[in-house]
Amino acid sequence: MQTVLELRALSKHFPTHKAVDGVSFSVASGEFFSLVGPSGCGKTTTLRLIAGFEEPSSGQLLLDGHSVEGLPAYRRDVSTVFQNYALFPHLTVAQNVAFGLERRGQISRTVIAEKVGKALELVHLNGKETRLPNQISGGERQRVALARSLVLEPKVLLLDEPLSALDAKLRKEMRLELKNLQRRIGIAFLFVTHDQEEALSLSDRVAIMHRGLLEQVGTPQEVYRLPKTRFVAEFLGEVNWLHGAGVRPEAVRVSRIAPDDSRSTAAVVESQTFLGNCIHLNAKLDNGSPCVAEMPQHECDFSAGERIYLWWHAADEFRVAGEAAA
């Protein structure tokens, strides 16, 4: 697929710290690409550099193969959906969506009305054109923000934590809507989030950032099952460090009899955590290290203090730099 966005050793230095430090990655046309990491890791600064709200200290930023450093935000073929949506409270839904087109000038009212209508239809807001932002739900306000960006027909849509203001149930519903919308319109999405589950469930590829650096880029399956660093392994979910390897809780098996397998270890049951669709069995190894096994509820008949054995398959483990020695 054709590359639509490319960052080459992009950096942003502030007087007190390096927010982005030599980050390089590319996004293909039609790709859903996520930047994920903890607060302060540099992901939002990276997005602001792409959008043109910040200028890089060094490195290159290319859109469709053309360098855009120094170009103001309005001259870059990208559009941004902000965390707080940034809707104008005194404008109707249709007026909010039309705002960017009207600012461009040289577009007739008829064409603007047609484009706004199509954008609202795309996000399922037909019939809400005359309502004000305070007259619609949080999920609908998020859709207005999406339509306002999509109506500009950008090459890349930048999304800065766009689901964070929604409650948990609506957030999950909007994930699916967002993914389906991206597939329908076929443009590149660059999605910034601190939510690992969100990034893994939505993305074609994920980039994990930490302290301004890019730790790893890959498909959700690659970064979860084969993390390259301890930070990536632990940021993307729970992990047990066993015999110098990493094993996810869902890959750990539990038995009362020692298995005939070198990849096993003795432990003592400490507690159980009920998670609805499964149980997390919390155990302590003989060396004092904790270990978590994810089990179906009907299989978890172990008691606190009981001696057990934990085992796993070789195919379910991964190793990261430095762990074998540890």
Side-chain angles (χ1 to χ4, degrees), residues 168-183:
K169 183 175 183 296
L170 184 56
R171 190 167 179 155
K172 286 194 173 183
E173 291 174 0
M174 289 306 299
R175 280 183 203 167
L176 184 59
E177 282 203 30
L178 196 61
K179 182 74 171 179
N180 290 338
L181 175 65
Q182 194 265 342
R183 288 289 179 257

Side-chain angles (χ1 to χ4, degrees), residues 168-207:
K169 183 175 183 296
L170 184 56
R171 190 167 179 155
K172 286 194 173 183
E173 291 174 0
M174 289 306 299
R175 280 183 203 167
L176 184 59
E177 282 203 30
L178 196 61
K179 182 74 171 179
N180 290 338
L181 175 65
Q182 194 265 342
R183 288 289 179 257
R184 287 201 307 274
I185 60 180
I187 67 170
F189 277 26
L190 180 64
F191 185 85
V192 165
T193 182
H194 66 274
D195 188 307
Q196 307 93 311
E197 183 182 331
E198 207 162 78
L200 293 174
S201 64
L202 285 171
S203 312
D204 297 311
R205 284 191 303 145
V206 178

Side-chain angles (χ1 to χ4, degrees), residues 155-174:
K155 284 199 164 46
V156 183
L157 182 66
L158 309 174
L159 302 107
D160 186 13
E161 304 263 12
L163 307 181
S164 61
L166 306 177
D167 63 60
K169 183 175 183 296
L170 184 56
R171 190 167 179 155
K172 286 194 173 183
E173 291 174 0
M174 289 306 299

Side-chain angles (χ1 to χ4, degrees), residues 13-320:
H13 301 167
F14 292 104
T16 57
H17 67 291
K18 294 180 179 179
V20 179
D21 192 5
V23 167
S24 299
F25 63 80
S26 61
V27 179
S29 177
E31 184 177 26
F32 200 123
F33 189 98
S34 289
L35 273 178
V36 63
S39 297
C41 72
K43 58 187 184 297
T44 294
T45 302
T46 302
L47 181 140
R48 290 178 59 82
L49 289 168
I50 297 167
F53 304 138
E54 299 278 358
E55 280 300 312
S57 303
S58 61
Q60 279 189 294
L61 178 62
L62 295 91
L63 276 167
D64 259 358
H66 302 289
S67 177
V68 295
E69 304 100 66
L71 280 182
Y74 68 88
R75 290 188 59 195
R76 300 188 184 194
D77 204 356
V78 300
S79 190
T80 307
V81 178
F82 298 98
Q83 185 175 346
N84 61 0
Y85 312 147
L87 301 180
F88 298 105
H90 61 289
L91 298 182
T92 66
V93 166
Q95 288 169 338
N96 265 286
V97 176
F99 183 80
L101 289 175
E102 291 171 345
R103 295 257 310 189
R104 285 183 171 180
Q106 298 180 335
I107 305 176
S108 71
R109 289 188 177 276
T110 303
V111 172
I112 289 176
E114 183 181 330
K115 287 180 178 291
V116 168
K118 286 181 179 178
L120 290 175
E121 184 178 352
L122 199 59
V123 297
H124 309 300
L125 282 176
N126 317 64
K128 305 285 178 77
E129 293 87 349
T130 60
R131 296 191 185 183
L132 294 172
N134 66 1
Q135 296 174 323
I136 58 178
S137 69
E140 289 170 333
R141 287 195 290 272
Q142 195 248 19
R143 290 195 200 111
V144 175
L146 277 169
R148 185 180 58 185
S149 289
L150 291 172
V151 79
L152 300 175
E153 300 175 349
K155 284 199 164 46
V156 183
L157 182 66
L158 309 174
L159 302 107
D160 186 13
E161 304 263 12
L163 307 181
S164 61
L166 306 177
D167 63 60
K169 183 175 183 296
L170 184 56
R171 190 167 179 155
K172 286 194 173 183
E173 291 174 0
M174 289 306 299
R175 280 183 203 167
L176 184 59
E177 282 203 30
L178 196 61
K179 182 74 171 179
N180 290 338
L181 175 65
Q182 194 265 342
R183 288 289 179 257
R184 287 201 307 274
I185 60 180
I187 67 170
F189 277 26
L190 180 64
F191 185 85
V192 165
T193 182
H194 66 274
D195 188 307
Q196 307 93 311
E197 183 182 331
E198 207 162 78
L200 293 174
S201 64
L202 285 171
S203 312
D204 297 311
R205 284 191 303 145
V206 178
I208 300 98
M209 291 190 69
H210 181 46
R211 296 178 179 173
L213 297 169
L214 197 62
E215 292 267 330
Q216 187 173 350
V217 180
T219 66
Q221 293 82 2
E222 287 169 349
V223 296
Y224 183 77
R225 294 174 181 166
L226 295 171
K228 291 182 178 179
T229 67
R230 186 176 183 121
F231 173 81
V232 172
E234 295 179 344
F235 182 76
L236 292 179
E238 286 192 80
V239 61
N240 301 300
W241 298 106
L242 301 166
H243 294 188
V247 185
R248 299 289 185 190
E250 62 269 24
V252 177
R253 276 72 167 175
V254 185
S255 66
R256 291 186 172 92
I257 301 171
D260 185 18
D261 193 303
S262 61
R263 288 173 174 82
S264 65
T265 187
V268 173
V269 176
E270 290 208 309
S271 63
Q272 298 179 20
T273 304
F274 176 69
L275 297 174
N277 62 334
C278 66
I279 296 282
H280 271 195
L281 183 78
N282 306 298
K284 182 176 285 187
L285 308 185
D286 287 348
N287 65 6
S289 300
C291 185
V292 178
E294 186 176 291
M295 307 176 65
Q297 188 176 352
H298 66 275
E299 292 182 11
C300 197
D301 60 347
F302 301 95
S303 304
E306 186 175 355
R307 187 79 170 168
I308 58 172
Y309 293 91
L310 307 172
W311 59 278
W312 61 97
H313 296 299
D316 291 323
E317 68 181 24
F318 55 81
R319 297 177 185 272
V320 299

